[in-house]
Structure formats: C-alpha cells, structure tokens
C-alpha cells in the first residue's frame, strides 16, 4: 500500500490522540501494514520483537508472527502481574509532557538479544527512548525500530542518528500539532 493510503484508515477526529483501530478492520489493510512494518527488517539479525501496549501489542504481535520471532510485550507501569522481583522498570516523559513508565518481565530478555521495537506512532520520541533504555539496561541490543508514523522534527528526529529506524509515514512537525488534522491536509 502507498504510505498515504493508510491515512484514510486513521481516525483523526479522536479527541486527544489518533485512533489507529480502523487500520485493523479491513484484513487487506492490516496485512499490508504488517508487511510494510516487516519489510526493512526481514534480513536483519534480530531474534525478538518488543512492543509497548496498547496498539504496539497488536502491531508487534503481528510482526513477530510474520517474522517467526519471539515477542516481548512491554507493559505500562504497574500493570504486570505480581512478579515484583522479576520486573525491570523505566520512566520517561511522553508526547504530552507527562511522566510515565514501562515494565517488562526480566525473564523475557536474555543478554545479547537483538530486538526489533515495533510501535504505532512517534511524536516526540520520549516513549521510544524509554523503551530503548529499558531494553538496553537488560543488555539487549535494539537492532531496529519499525513504526507507522514518525515525526522527523525536534528530538524525535535525532533517534535516526542512534538507531536503524524505519517508518511508513514521515512528517515534519516542529511544534505541537493538532492531532485532529490529517497530515496530508495541513
């Protein structure tokens, strides 16, 4: 699918952030999205896919299944079951400027794991930096990042200097943008 074709399947009328769930209603669109997220990393030296909740869970699970790799679901802080001694945590500042956090079960990551991070959208890069730091603290290597949308401006744009990052939709929004406005109609 052409990158701009995905835009018609994203709800830009959502109140505080984009609604990506319409992308999953049409099996052809969903399949195309999964293949587009996988394409840059098919030949990469990766052995696991990591993804944050919630939309990241859907995309990351589908990518892991397509690439036949293990999956590391990354939960929002406080959401993992009662395994406190086996939880790794990382705080970060999200796109709204609020402090947030992620947790993983330490047992899911082995030293030297080569990980593909999959998520839906990178607005400021704070969440992505938090995810990367959480994995790297466990001695894993972030070998790639695959996302649907990526803001090339500001602090998020610098992530491409550090990681192999592939995105389907790139845009340049140096200021906080109106999330109810389509990227191709600005």
């Amino acid at each position: 699918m052409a990158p701009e074709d995905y835009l018609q399947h994203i709800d830009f009328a959502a109140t505080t952030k984009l609604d990506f769930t319409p992308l999953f209603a049409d099996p052809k669109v969903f399949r195309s999205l999964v293949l587009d997220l996988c394409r840059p990393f098919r030949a990469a030296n990766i052995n696991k896919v990591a993804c944050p909740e919630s939309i990241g869970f859907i995309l990351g699970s589908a990518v892991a299944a397509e690439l036949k790799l293990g999956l590391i679901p990354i939960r929002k802080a406080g959401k993992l079951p009662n395994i406190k001694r086996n939880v790794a945590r990382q705080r970060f500042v999200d796109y709204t400027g609020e402090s947030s956090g992620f947790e993983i079960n330490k047992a899911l990551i082995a030293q030297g794991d080569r990980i593909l991070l999959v998520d839906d959208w990178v607005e400021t890069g704070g969440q992505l930096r938090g995810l990367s730091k959480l994995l790297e603290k466990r001695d894993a290597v972030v070998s790639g990042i695959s996302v649907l949308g990526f803001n090339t401006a500001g602090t998020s744009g610098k992530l491409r200097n550090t990681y192999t990052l592939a995105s389907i939709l790139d845009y340049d929004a140096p200021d906080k943008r109106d999330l109810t406005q389509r990227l191709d109609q600005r």
Side-chain angles (χ1 to χ4, degrees):
M1 240 170 105
E4 57 275 4
D5 291 342
Y6 289 111
L7 293 173
Q8 68 185 347
H9 299 282
I10 298 171
D11 183 357
F12 285 86
T15 55
T16 57
K17 62 187 217 174
L18 306 177
D19 180 8
F20 299 104
T21 58
L23 287 163
F24 313 130
D26 182 327
K28 290 179 182 173
V29 172
F30 186 35
R31 177 79 175 139
S32 180
L33 176 57
V34 170
L35 293 175
D36 285 344
L37 289 168
C38 291
R39 189 169 289 113
F41 300 99
R42 283 206 182 271
N45 187 17
I46 294 167
N47 66 318
K48 291 183 183 170
V49 172
C51 53
E53 63 179 280
S54 59
I55 297 298
F57 277 6
I58 298 167
L59 296 174
S61 296
V63 167
E66 175 66 25
L67 296 175
K68 298 174 179 61
L69 299 173
L71 181 71
I72 302 169
I74 302 174
R75 301 297 310 266
K76 292 177 181 167
K79 300 295 183 184
L80 273 177
N82 190 14
I83 53 170
K84 299 289 185 210
R85 69 185 175 281
N86 212 23
V87 174
R89 295 177 178 81
Q90 181 63 49
R91 304 291 301 163
F92 66 94
V93 176
D94 69 15
Y95 68 97
T96 66
E98 298 292 319
S99 179
S100 193
F102 283 123
E103 297 177 342
I104 56 170
N105 180 335
K106 293 177 187 178
L108 300 180
I109 300 176
Q111 183 176 6
D113 273 345
R114 297 167 316 282
I115 296 177
L116 172 63
L117 262 174
V118 177
D119 203 5
D120 52 6
W121 209 261
V122 178
E123 191 71 36
T124 63
Q127 178 170 296
L128 204 55
R129 280 188 289 283
L131 291 166
S132 299
K133 189 179 281 188
L134 177 61
L135 295 166
E136 290 164 348
K137 281 168 110 177
R138 302 297 316 147
D139 293 323
V141 176
V142 177
S143 296
I145 298 169
S146 191
V147 296
L148 169 59
F150 184 74
N151 182 2
T152 61
T155 57
S156 59
K158 297 174 187 172
L159 287 166
R160 282 203 166 122
N161 298 332
T162 307
Y163 300 101
T164 301
L165 191 147
S167 54
I168 297 169
L169 295 164
D170 279 349
Y171 63 98
D172 186 347
D175 300 318
K176 188 171 183 175
R177 68 183 183 84
D178 179 358
L179 294 176
T180 64
Q181 189 177 50
R182 281 181 51 146
L183 298 172
D184 58 343
Q185 297 174 349
R186 297 193 292 143

